[in-house]
Amino acid sequence: MDDIVLDLPSTGPDPIPFDTALAAVLGYARGRRPLRFRSPSYPEGRWVQVLAFGYERFDRKPAADGPPGDYDVLVAEGLHGRLDRSSWTAARTALDEAHTLTAALRERAAGRSFWELPDAEFCVLDEPGTAGALLRELGAFPLAHVVSAALHHRSPDLVPHLSPTTRRQLWPHVQEGDSGVESVVHRELRGSARGFATLEDAVAALLGAPLTRLRLHDVLLWLCGSLRLTHAVALGQETAEWERYAAGTLTGVS
């Protein structure tokens, strides 16, 4: 894998080596952190190890069928934290209103994944009705980061998940004619198609559950933008999955 890199300008000036990207994703999925816990049974408190990131609370939760509902907000909370009552209501209402737009997006995609869509779908000159225009409308809803988490969980190969941190990382790379920050994600996924395809295969083989390249891009971008990449890489290199990879016993990855 030494010749594979992920060239993602939104994450920084230097390409991400494949080993770094894989270790970061493993750390995101398996990493733990210490937490001081107190309860009536342990009034003096004790240290416990809890999951450091949102993989188990978000990526491992099964997707719901049918129209969006309360479950979708619960899944999004697993990534972004608990909402107060008014925010919950706003997010739930936004999901109902977004249902028509996501249906139009799926129809526009016609079975294609986000990274398989042509560049014209993310150009303002080809609007209205493009995937980029529909995604821009979805990004205008209240609590857009919660809405996008819920919609991405339902359609992890089509709807990008964008948070305030990742949006700030993407905005400086928007080019003239782009329909929005989603254009940057699309351009980076297509530009590093080989690297992401290999990363998809490796993550699926090691974790036993696939993550789409759209989600992998989001994880790497968020880790870089939140200054957690180095920590995630260190956690990933301590996992049993990394030992398998480092030992060269991983098969089925090209």
Side-chain angles (χ1 to χ4, degrees), residues 67-76 83 88-102 138 141-152 154:
D70 293 351
Y71 174 77
D72 298 277
V73 182
L74 285 170
V75 171
L83 299 171
W88 171 280
T89 302
R92 183 67 182 79
T93 301
L95 278 176
D96 285 337
E97 296 174 355
H99 188 53
T100 301
L101 287 175
T102 53
L138 288 173
F141 279 104
L143 293 168
H145 61 297
V146 177
V147 174
S148 76
L151 296 179
H152 173 77
R154 280 178 163 259

Side-chain angles (χ1 to χ4, degrees), residues 66-157:
D70 293 351
Y71 174 77
D72 298 277
V73 182
L74 285 170
V75 171
E77 282 187 315
L79 201 59
H80 290 295
R82 291 288 300 274
L83 299 171
D84 60 31
R85 182 173 297 181
S86 61
S87 297
W88 171 280
T89 302
R92 183 67 182 79
T93 301
L95 278 176
D96 285 337
E97 296 174 355
H99 188 53
T100 301
L101 287 175
T102 53
L105 178 61
R106 284 192 292 271
E107 182 178 357
R108 182 77 180 189
R112 294 170 293 182
S113 298
F114 177 89
W115 54 91
E116 295 173 331
L117 296 173
D119 295 342
E121 289 294 323
F122 300 92
C123 178
V124 293
L125 299 179
D126 289 271
E127 295 182 4
T130 62
L134 292 168
L135 288 168
R136 190 172 63 245
E137 289 188 65
L138 288 173
F141 279 104
L143 293 168
H145 61 297
V146 177
V147 174
S148 76
L151 296 179
H152 173 77
H153 188 264
R154 280 178 163 259
S155 302
D157 63 341

Side-chain angles (χ1 to χ4, degrees), residues 5-6 16 30 35 39 51 57 66 69 78 82 93 109 120-121 123 125 142 158 181 183 209 212 220 231:
V5 297
L6 285 79
I16 302 176
R30 298 288 190 243
L35 176 71
S39 71
L51 291 166
R57 299 186 302 271
R82 291 288 300 274
T93 301
E121 289 294 323
C123 178
L125 299 179
L158 184 59
V181 292
S183 306
T212 68
L220 292 172
H231 182 51

